[in-house]
Amino acid sequence: MKQRIIQEIEQLKQKDNLRELTLSDTSTLSLSTNDYMGITQNKQLYDDFTLKTKIKPLSMGSCSSRLLTGNQEAMEQLEEQLKGLYQRESALLYNSGYHANIGILPALTTKRDLIISDQFVHASIIDGIQLSASKSWRFRHQNYDQLERYLTKHRTNYEQVVIVVESLYSMDGDFADLSRLVDLKKRYNCTLYVDEAHTFGAIGEKGLGLAEQLDIISKIDFIVGTFGKAIASQGAFLICDEVYRTWMIQKSRSLIYTTVLPEITTLWNLHVIDFLAKQAATRKHLSNLAKDFAEKLGIKQDSYIIPYIVISNRKAIELSNFLKTKSITSLPIRVPTVPKGTARLRFSLTADMRIEQLDKVVEAIRTFEQNGTQ
């Protein structure tokens, strides 16, 4: 077995596809973080949190699952806060977006059901589908005509059909057409599951995501959000009806059989969400920053995730290394994470960046394209 693994590692090296762990360089301008709202650089927010929480000792570990002794008052407060923001019946916390997607989808479906997902959904959703007993089918990315044709032909073959999408796709930075999906769900009597991992905190008047911006929160059956991106923390949540929350507590294995996050993390999530709900102007700034940067790169893009396609894994690595010499961090995204011929650098912008900083990135890319790494 070891020899086989050694051979496969060598093959990955030859294809410029070997993954490695590298330390984060805080001295560079990072364009690979999901800290969309610039929270990690907000010293005042951290100082306020420290002042608020220093009056009582906080546990740095929960040492139990939530169904045993791990449940905390802060967790229930956070769920109440989320319920209030979304104006929905229930919220349920998970340890991460990965935990949420691999736990909710198997608990929700049976062998009599079908899960339909966009071709480009996150690996956690794919794994959740594979862990379920249901049948599954994937439609071409954002191809809702293909989805509708399939529903027309096959919807009556299944007891329940769950349509699963992301509101913002992290590799291409494009938004789903949630309004059309809501229409399809209604006309074909389906369930709609939307992962708002890359929009929660950074899109919408209160930062609740694309569904809030489109005013269709009440029309989506399941909304998943994460705290590990724009909230600069850890954890995730499900927004749903109360009956589904109760069911997840019975059947969602990634919730039942894991030690919950420590109290300090939950309190930080409460603190940041309250702050971000009032940051509409910062979200507008982020949007304007992204539009300016994309335009200067010659890319048509509507989000703060901007892919710069370079085709090959080798060129993606070379461009990433070149930018590093200019104190810019942007890690290469390679095949097979993205389709063949679409290797790229994915520029994730944050609200604490300045136009002048991004202009230097554009200049560096132009230099590389003209002269290579020379």
Side-chain angles (χ1 to χ4, degrees), residues 135-292:
K135 302 290 185 180
S136 65
W137 180 75
R138 300 168 75 179
F139 60 93
R140 289 190 296 274
H141 182 52
Q142 306 279 40
N143 192 328
Y144 304 116
D145 290 336
Q146 184 192 27
L147 169 60
E148 183 164 11
R149 287 194 298 271
Y150 191 89
L151 288 171
T152 300
K153 187 175 181 179
H154 299 288
R155 171 61 188 95
T156 56
N157 297 334
Y158 300 94
E159 186 173 296
Q160 176 187 211
V161 172
V162 183
I163 301 172
V164 184
V165 299
E166 297 181 49
S167 58
L168 174 59
Y169 291 88
S170 63
M171 291 299 144
D172 291 85
D174 53 339
F175 291 106
D177 188 347
L178 293 188
S179 296
R180 182 168 180 185
L181 286 163
V182 165
D183 176 65
L184 288 173
K185 151 214 147 86
K186 184 177 180 180
R187 287 196 288 116
Y188 291 92
N189 188 29
C190 298
T191 299
L192 182 57
Y193 182 111
V194 178
D195 188 327
E196 295 249 35
H198 290 275
T199 55
F200 180 67
I203 295 286
E205 181 66 24
K206 295 180 180 178
L208 302 183
L210 185 60
E212 182 199 15
Q213 182 170 285
L214 299 174
D215 193 25
I216 55 174
I217 287 175
S218 63
K219 298 176 181 179
I220 299 173
D221 302 283
F222 298 91
I223 296 175
V224 172
T226 62
F227 304 128
K229 295 177 173 60
I231 308 301
S233 184
Q234 180 70 32
F237 61 88
L238 168 66
I239 299 295
C240 60
D241 292 344
E242 179 63 29
V243 66
Y244 291 120
R245 181 182 188 275
T246 300
W247 184 245
M248 293 303 150
I249 293 171
Q250 317 309 310
K251 296 293 183 179
S252 186
R253 294 172 66 86
S254 61
L255 170 75
I256 299 168
Y257 299 109
T258 190
T259 299
V260 298
L261 297 174
E263 181 184 21
I264 192 168
T265 302
T266 306
L267 289 171
W268 171 251
N269 291 338
L270 276 161
H271 182 68
V272 178
I273 290 172
D274 183 61
F275 170 78
L276 285 181
K278 307 179 183 91
Q279 298 303 305
T282 305
R283 283 183 278 277
K284 180 64 175 175
H285 165 70
L286 175 61
S287 177
N288 291 338
L289 198 68
K291 288 176 183 176
D292 179 83

Side-chain angles (χ1 to χ4, degrees), residues 333-349:
I333 308 295
R334 295 167 285 180
V335 178
T337 299
V338 291
K340 186 177 181 180
T342 67
R344 67 196 66 185
L345 267 61
R346 177 186 58 180
F347 299 124
S348 296
L349 306 193

Side-chain angles (χ1 to χ4, degrees), residues 14-31:
Q14 293 173 4
K15 295 177 181 178
D16 299 315
N17 212 18
L18 184 70
R19 294 184 174 101
E20 296 180 283
L21 298 175
T22 58
L23 292 174
S24 176
D25 186 351
T26 57
S27 67
T28 66
L29 175 67
S30 178
L31 292 163

